[in-house]
Amino acid sequence: METGKKTGVLKLSVICIFILAVTVLAYWQVGGHEFIIFDDAQYVTDNPNVMPGITLEGISWAFSSSDRSYWHPLAWLSHMIDCQLFGLNPGLHHLMNLSFHVLNGILLFLALRMMTGSYWRSAFAACLFALHPVIVATVAWIAERKNLLSTSFWFLAMIAYVKYVRRPGMPMYLLVLSLFALGLLAKPMLVTLPFVLLLLDYWPLKRFEFAIGKGGKNKEAGLNIRYQGTNPQRIILEKIPLLIFSVISIAFSSYSIHVMGKMISSDIVPMALRIENALVSYMVYLGKFFLPVNLTFFYPYPTGI
């Protein structure tokens, strides 16, 4: 047993070091890049609340401001810490982005390994995440720190959730809730996490499964749901506090967008076009996963679908 545990630790260490090495090798050049004029100025170089570093006024502004379209105070604090440590040296800001991306690749590997028990398939998925060209804009664009930071809390929340499922208890559940809340404070894109956790309940955690009954004597026909030792009400109820956090985050984001006047008028982009674009974008992004061409950091609404 002791030998097996040592072998497992060795595998984990080697794979984590490999993920770190290949990610740094792919992205190290960003340390020589500059700020860009698209959003970097508003987020860092021309922002009087961020440039001085960590100050009481800056912290108050981060939590009370709806600047830059939506509310993400932890992202502001992250940029303030960079300015406190590195001034306006763009290379070091870029390398901090890279550090978060390396961390996220390792966290994803650990989360997948915990859920599936597979080392190598989890390592492959984590490397694919770390090196896929679709991710480049997020890593190499200083203003996208919010993506990287919120992803860190997303993966940490998944790891905590797996631990909670394996050994249920209020302390671990509160940790899941706290990490989720911190992720929302970094960027509200985490609002879908409760639904992702429900998917994880199905696979790979297998808290429930679908079974198709063929009917016959004393047998029910149709689709049935079987629960693996978990009360079905519990699976739903434990998501409700997370959903409440999501609703609050959506409300804050909607309010901040409205206050900033960033809400796109339906006269400019009709609702029908928004729905069409959303449906098509799902397929387009799926296509870019397999064939990552014609990538950019900004995808404006098309004039038509």
Side-chain angles (χ1 to χ4, degrees):
M1 182 66 71
E2 190 66 28
T3 302
K5 185 180 294 187
K6 289 181 179 179
T7 302
V9 171
L10 180 60
K11 281 183 182 179
L12 284 175
S13 302
V14 169
I15 292 172
C16 288
I17 291 172
F18 179 78
I19 293 171
L20 183 153
V22 296
T23 307
V24 168
L25 184 64
Y27 281 101
W28 185 252
Q29 60 182 300
V30 299
H33 292 180
E34 299 292 330
F35 293 105
I36 63 172
I37 61 173
F38 199 96
D39 278 3
D40 280 357
Q42 295 92 326
Y43 274 82
V44 182
T45 57
D46 288 339
N47 191 317
N49 299 289
V50 172
M51 288 189 296
I54 293 291
T55 64
L56 290 177
E57 294 81 2
I59 294 172
S60 175
W61 172 84
F63 281 90
S64 61
S65 170
S66 58
D67 199 10
R68 303 280 74 79
S69 298
Y70 47 70
W71 193 62
H72 45 51
L74 282 194
W76 290 126
L77 294 179
S78 176
H79 288 300
M80 291 176 190
I81 291 172
D82 279 6
C83 289
Q84 183 79 36
L85 296 175
F86 315 128
L88 293 179
N89 183 325
L92 294 177
H93 285 253
H94 277 295
L95 291 179
M96 186 59 72
N97 267 22
L98 174 56
S99 299
F100 275 106
H101 187 52
V102 170
L103 173 64
N104 291 342
I106 292 173
L107 288 175
L108 178 59
F109 161 68
L110 295 175
L112 293 174
R113 209 282 309 172
M114 285 176 62
M115 288 187 283
T116 66
S118 171
Y119 286 90
W120 306 116
R121 282 176 289 179
S122 299
F124 174 79
C127 287
L128 185 61
F129 165 80
L131 301 176
H132 199 286
V134 166
I135 308 293
V136 168
T138 290
V139 183
W141 186 6
I142 291 171
E144 286 298 274
R145 172 68 57 79
K146 54 188 178 289
N147 276 1
L148 296 163
L149 188 59
S150 61
T151 301
S152 297
F153 287 113
W154 178 295
F155 292 159
L156 285 169
M158 284 190 0
I159 290 172
Y161 184 73
V162 175
K163 289 181 175 292
Y164 162 75
V165 169
R166 301 264 167 84
R167 297 189 65 180
M170 187 55 66
M172 190 55 65
Y173 181 78
L174 291 176
L175 179 60
V176 174
L177 204 59
S178 300
L179 291 168
F180 178 51
L182 289 170
L184 290 172
L185 292 177
K187 188 176 182 182
M189 72 174 183
L190 264 72
V191 294
T192 57
L193 180 59
F195 302 99
V196 172
L197 297 182
L198 191 59
L199 290 173
L200 295 179
D201 285 336
Y202 174 69
W203 188 89
L205 299 178
K206 297 182 179 179
R207 299 177 81 189
F208 66 91
E209 63 180 12
F210 295 102
I212 300 177
K214 296 181 180 180
K217 188 175 181 179
N218 300 324
K219 293 182 179 180
E220 293 184 7
L223 185 64
N224 300 302
I225 303 178
R226 297 173 181 169
Y227 295 91
Q228 308 296 321
T230 303
N231 189 312
Q233 285 78 22
R234 177 174 182 163
I235 291 178
I236 301 300
L237 288 175
E238 66 192 16
K239 306 299 186 299
I240 291 178
L242 298 168
L243 288 171
I244 291 173
F245 276 28
S246 292
V247 170
I248 293 172
S249 178
I250 291 170
F252 267 101
S253 298
S254 299
Y255 175 75
S256 64
I257 291 173
H258 178 74
V259 168
M260 283 298 297
K262 298 288 186 177
M263 190 75 74
I264 301 175
S265 169
S266 59
D267 294 332
I268 300 174
V269 183
M271 182 57 68
L273 177 59
R274 299 181 194 214
I275 295 172
E276 292 170 359
N277 184 65
L279 294 173
V280 171
S281 293
Y282 276 113
M283 302 309 298
V284 170
Y285 275 107
L286 184 61
K288 289 183 184 294
F289 176 82
F290 293 101
L291 187 64
V293 297
N294 298 323
L295 300 176
T296 181
F297 60 92
F298 178 62
Y299 298 91
Y301 272 106
T303 55
I305 301 297

